[in-house]
Amino acid sequence: MRQPRPLGGPDIGRHLLREEGEVIVDEVRHHWAAYTVPMLEGLLAVAVLAWVPVIHIDLAGFALLVAIGLALHAGWGALREHRDRFVITNMRVFRLHGVLTTKMATMPLHRILDITVVRPLHGRIFGFGHFCFESAAQEQGLRDIRYVGRPVQRDLAIQRVVQRSGLRGPRVG
């Protein structure tokens, strides 16, 4: 049974190998911190728009264009972040991203050599981090996954899936 996809989000289910028994372990959306720049741009657009009625008429048209441009750029940035998904399945990890053109990068679990979890100070405070995947093929769209909420738990989920699949030595327990 397919899960309903969020409004404007990518269709993850159509990329699963259901006939092979592939199931989603975790679908990672960006942490809210990834939306701070689009949100600040949107607030700036509202501030410029509020300023339009009180400035000289010769500058009002330009200020209105600036406000519209900022609002459109903020909306585009928020949509770009919303459509960027990182998915962990029982067979692989993959990333879907893009607004007009959807790009997909896939890595089978057996190709993951190492995962580095980077948690900057502000990431530790607000609960996010970044993944850096090391694999045999270094140039892929899965090298850096940014703004991952609960990164330690998600790293452990990947490690559990790899361990249960028998790719890293004998199963314990």
Side-chain angles (χ1 to χ4, degrees):
M1 184 170 157
R2 289 175 62 145
Q3 293 179 327
R5 69 180 179 165
L7 183 64
D11 187 5
I12 304 293
R14 66 181 267 217
H15 297 284
L16 294 177
L17 304 170
R18 295 196 189 278
E19 310 80 43
E20 307 297 323
E22 185 175 34
V23 294
I24 295 174
V25 174
D26 194 6
E27 178 181 339
V28 181
R29 295 181 174 116
H30 279 291
H31 186 270
W32 63 263
Y35 294 91
T36 54
V37 171
M39 183 183 66
L40 291 173
E41 285 180 345
L43 289 173
L44 184 58
V46 169
V48 170
L49 194 59
W51 189 46
V52 167
V54 296
I55 62 173
H56 193 275
I57 191 75
D58 293 337
L59 295 175
F62 177 72
L64 186 61
L65 288 176
V66 168
I68 291 170
L70 280 169
L72 289 174
H73 192 263
W76 183 266
L79 185 59
R80 184 187 61 236
E81 296 297 335
H82 178 67
R83 291 192 50 82
D84 192 352
R85 301 295 165 85
F86 173 65
V87 181
I88 305 163
T89 74
N90 60 329
M91 302 169 83
R92 61 189 169 142
V93 294
F94 65 91
R95 179 183 180 201
L96 288 170
H97 61 104
V99 176
L100 298 178
T101 302
T102 301
K103 301 170 196 133
M104 182 173 171
T106 302
M107 186 185 313
L109 291 176
H110 69 274
R111 301 246 338 252
I112 298 173
L113 300 178
D114 186 35
I115 303 171
T116 302
V117 178
V118 179
R119 295 183 63 210
L121 177 61
H122 65 291
R124 287 184 302 201
I125 292 169
F126 295 115
F128 71 88
H130 313 299
F131 282 169
C132 182
F133 285 90
E134 303 292 332
S135 73
Q138 286 301 311
E139 295 301 320
Q140 77 275 346
L142 277 170
R143 178 153 169 73
D144 293 309
I145 307 295
R146 302 185 49 79
Y147 295 102
V148 175
R150 301 184 341 264
V152 174
Q153 293 89 338
R154 292 208 157 111
D155 176 48
L156 290 173
I158 294 171
Q159 300 304 330
R160 268 190 226 98
V161 171
V162 169
Q163 186 65 33
R164 286 180 184 153
S165 67
L167 297 173
R168 299 283 193 273
R171 294 182 189 182
V172 179

